[in-house]
Every structure is written in C-alpha cells, then in structure tokens.
Amino acid sequence: MHITITGNLGSGKSTICRLLSEKYSFEIYSTGKVQRELARQMNMTTLELNQLMRSDQKYDKMIDDETARISRENKDKDIIFDSRLAWHFVESSFKVFVSVSLEVAAERVMNDKRGDEEKYTSLEEAIKLLAARAATERVRYKEIYNLNYMDFSNYNLVIDSTYNLPDQIAEIILNEAKEYENNPSYRTKMLVSPKRLIYPEDNKEEDKRRLSKLIDEYKKLPYTIDTIIKVKKQEDDYIILEGHDNAKAALLADVPYIPIDVIKI
C-alpha cells in the first residue's frame, strides 16, 4: 500500500506519518529523504543540492522523478510519502490532505521548536506569516507544475486535524486506505470534527425525539456518520446549509468526524 500525505502548514502531517510508520510498519519517504538519496547518487551533500535547487528548477524535477521511481520500484512495500506533491508523482496511491484551522496551525508552530527561521513574536504574526507562506507555495507550484495542491478534488481523503489527535487520524487514514483498496466505487471524503462547524441560529423548534434517536445511533459509530453535511466556507469557518440535526447529534454524541460537502455559493 502506498499512501501520499500532504496538508496545511501546522496540520501535523509529519507526526501522522511517523505514527503510521511506528504503529503499522510503513516506510516513510519524505521530500527530505528523497532529496538526501538524490544527493547521495550525485555525490553531493544535501546543502550543495539545496543551493542548486534555488537557482535551477531542474533539480525539483529530479526529486519528482526520484519520488516516482521509488513508488514504481517498490510496489510490494507499504510506504508513506510525506510530500507536498507526491500525490501527483506517485503512480498509484491513496491520496490524503490533512487540513487545520489557521489559528490552531499558528498556535502549533509557535509551540514547536522549528529553528530561528520559524520564530514568531505573537499569534497574530504567526497567522499572517503562515498565510503568506501558503500563498507563496501555491504560486510556486502553479508556476512550476501548473498544479494547485490546495484543490481538494485532487485527494481521496481530506481530514481535518484541528480538534483531533494524530494517533486517531493515523488510524482513520489507514482504515480509509483499506476501504479505498477494496472498494472500486470509493468516493472522495472530506471529514471534519463537528466542532469546526457553525450551527445556524433560528427559532424553529428542534425535533427533540429525532435528535435523541440520532444521538443514540451515533454513539455506536466508530468515527464518522453516513450523512453528508452540506456547508459553505466563510473565511476559516464552515457554515451548515443542510443537515443541521445530523451535525448537532454527532456533536452531542462525541463523534470524532462528520463528512461534509462544501457548496460554492
């Protein structure tokens, strides 16, 4: 099984990859590992290769080709590819995007020890600079590859990490990857915690009997419900359009995830 994982800055994707490796014996190929292997083949240090990459885009292509080669020549191995664009270059994989709210991402990177180049004086500065860095990456990948790695239609699973722990996410990714392998009709899923949704305020009295029944039903579920909740994106929030009762029942039943469909309005 090959799984390619990318995600927002601060989403915890590298931690998730490490857990998949430790708990389920996947080998990890990160962009850095591929880069080191390429440098070895070229009898160079990784620092020398990094310097070349800044001045010549052909080395990006060499790393992409190396990623494709590794996947092609190791079809019998369980491998995680931790990379922004491996979903595009690995020939056959379960493609995962790990999302996170910008504020939580900023809090995480502020608390991480990521060296002098990623130090922030405030949460507001971290939010601003993370957003700017993501925008720069989108432009760079568009210019070099004509790709938008933030287009969720590129992935089989989009899973949010804002309110959920990495070990739980790793287990869900593996379960979904197995389902993908065994189900030819597997459709793209976007899973978020019920806590990420904004619930409409209205005067309509809820069907408390139906809500109670749904809560009892959802408490028996492993990690998600079947009903897809239709939402609209507003800045960093998801606002419910349809499926309010199902979403609220999932929230009250402490279901880790619900599937959503983002409607463009």
Side-chain angles (χ1 to χ4, degrees), residues 77-95:
K77 291 184 178 179
D78 291 332
I79 301 177
I80 298 289
F81 292 87
D82 176 5
S83 166
R84 283 276 187 272
L85 297 180
W87 58 269
H88 180 72
F89 295 106
V90 170
E91 294 184 356
S92 179
S93 73
F94 181 67
K95 303 171 177 64

Side-chain angles (χ1 to χ4, degrees), residues 157-253:
L157 175 67
V158 179
I159 185 165
D160 192 81
S161 70
T162 303
Y163 293 101
N164 302 80
L165 296 175
D167 56 347
Q168 181 185 53
I169 296 171
E171 183 177 354
I172 292 172
I173 288 173
L174 184 60
N175 287 337
E176 293 292 329
K178 289 178 179 177
E179 183 182 341
Y180 171 79
E181 283 201 332
N182 297 322
N183 182 5
S185 61
Y186 185 97
R187 298 183 64 184
T188 296
K189 294 180 182 178
M190 186 170 179
L191 301 179
V192 303
S193 166
K195 298 175 185 177
R196 278 226 59 187
L197 304 186
I198 293 181
Y199 295 78
E201 295 181 7
D202 54 38
N203 296 322
K204 185 179 70 175
E205 187 174 345
E206 292 174 337
D207 186 341
K208 291 184 172 55
R209 181 177 296 179
R210 178 175 183 270
L211 198 62
S212 177
K213 185 178 179 181
L214 284 171
I215 292 169
D216 290 339
E217 177 186 334
Y218 290 167
K219 283 180 178 179
K220 301 173 186 176
L221 299 176
Y223 58 83
T224 189
I225 66 175
D226 292 328
T227 302
I228 299 174
I229 311 301
K230 292 186 178 181
V231 302
K232 68 176 180 179
K233 191 85 159 47
Q234 183 171 298
E235 296 182 352
D236 211 23
D237 296 320
Y238 295 108
I239 300 173
I240 297 173
L241 298 176
E242 293 182 21
H244 172 270
D245 284 354
N246 299 86
K248 187 168 184 180
L251 177 69
L252 295 173

Side-chain angles (χ1 to χ4, degrees), residues 151 231-233 241 261-265:
D151 181 353
V231 302
K232 68 176 180 179
K233 191 85 159 47
L241 298 176
D261 183 13
V262 180
I263 307 299
K264 295 181 179 179
I265 298 177

